[in-house]
Amino acid sequence: MNPPIEAILGAAGAAPSGDNTQPWRFLVDEREGTIGLRVDEERDPSPMNAGQRMARIAVGAALENLLRAAEALGWGAQVEDAPPPTLALVRLRDRGGEAGPIERALADRVTNRRPYDGRPVSEEDLALLERRARGLDGVRTHWIVGQDRLPAWADLIGRADATMFGHPDMRLAFLRKVHLDAGDGEGAPEGLAPSSLELTHGDRLALRVMRRSPDWLLRLGGAGRVFRAKARQLVLGASGLLLVVAPDDDEATDLLVGRTMQRAWLALDELGISAQPMMSLLVLDNVLRLGEAKLIESLGRGHVSGLLEEAQALAPEIGEGRPAFLMRFGYAPAPSGRSGRLPVPASVVAHAPPVPEHPGRGS
Ligand SMILES: Cc1cc2nc3c(=O)[nH]c(=O)nc-3n(C[C@H](O)[C@H](O)[C@H](O)COP(=O)(O)O)c2cc1C
């Protein structure tokens, strides 16, 4: 039997990615029964994706989905090392088992940017989340909850958002990915639909003005303060934060961070808990490690390092680990809209034809 590649890749492509850039490439070899995963570096050349780290995290999330879908469809899936630029090679083996349905959560998981209602997650559910989202190969998950901890994080994330969106290059890179012309509730096959960002008509207008305004005018108008207050409010209403911590700075670890984050997100979804990555701190960390010198200088190396030191101090339990992914979680109604996806073939770059199911004899 040939593996159900289309269904498996459909599930992989439902993974989250920074600004919905869908930076994965799948190299399909149906004869060998393998799928290679790579980063398509052209999908997100923005400064938020310095060194393509955010893209590798997204590929990790796609890999987690791919493995789960293959298993559900009755196929054994083994991850093998592969020569760069391939990040991972998945070998599919027919286990001869029954094909079951693909987990509902793979398609249902969504970024929910609404305000959350502040209700705490029960001890029992937190224990379940910890078990289900256990990290891979030294990557760890930390669930930060409690009114004694969240306000300081809210303040810090607010300042990180103000720093990131306060920089003209980063703000414009973000604004370019928002489809301000899309109608209410309308998705977009890539990039961000206004409804998924919960933008009011007033917000849309403000973003249009922002696109055209010079930096000095925005500073004068206090745009940084607006981003700061918004992020702060969003964290204050959350039940908690999930921090995924990496043991090192290796590229291969980014893939494991993505897989671990996706495990956590799917586990949250199954419990009816909403989530939204809030990555400004880690995007800034990434700029310091892998970004261009000019950008680092204009952001202020000392300022960004200071924010990261604060994060480390707020989470002493992470020790020497590197914070690699941060998201808020909590209870909220469904989002007003969701981002769309490109069709599967847009991400498939090689395709060896399948072996015929019933090869003709004697031919
Ligand atoms: C590496 C990474 C970084 C992200 N950073 C943010 C973020 O800072 N803020 C945010 O609202 N969403 C963030 N997202 C969520 C994406 O915008 C979202 O996954 C994408 O738009 C697709 O939408 P969906 O998650 O609803 O399928 C991030 C996702 C990934 C994988």
Side-chain angles (χ1 to χ4, degrees), residues 57 133-136 138-144 153 241-247 253-265 279 282 318 321-327:
I57 294 176
R134 208 160 268 155
L136 291 145
V139 174
R140 282 175 293 136
T141 51
H142 294 270
W143 300 83
I144 299 170
W153 278 99
L241 292 167
L242 165 69
L243 186 58
V244 179
V245 175
T253 304
D254 297 334
L255 217 62
L256 300 173
V257 167
R259 284 190 65 188
T260 302
M261 167 280 283
Q262 182 69 352
R263 285 182 176 189
W265 204 337
M279 290 292 282
L282 306 174
I318 69 178
R322 173 178 63 84
F325 201 92
L326 183 61
M327 66 183 179

Side-chain angles (χ1 to χ4, degrees), residues 1-5 8-9 27-37 63 66-71 74-83 86-95 259:
M1 206 173 84
N2 293 316
I5 297 286
I8 291 174
L9 294 186
L27 282 86
V28 178
D29 186 333
E30 287 198 40
R31 284 187 202 280
E32 289 292 319
T34 60
I35 303 173
L37 287 92
L63 174 59
L66 189 156
L67 296 172
R68 286 175 180 239
E71 287 283 333
W75 286 76
Q78 200 181 329
V79 184
E80 297 176 4
D81 288 336
T86 301
L87 296 171
L89 187 79
V90 177
R91 191 170 296 280
L92 299 167
R93 281 188 206 290
D94 192 352
R95 284 190 324 210
R259 284 190 65 188

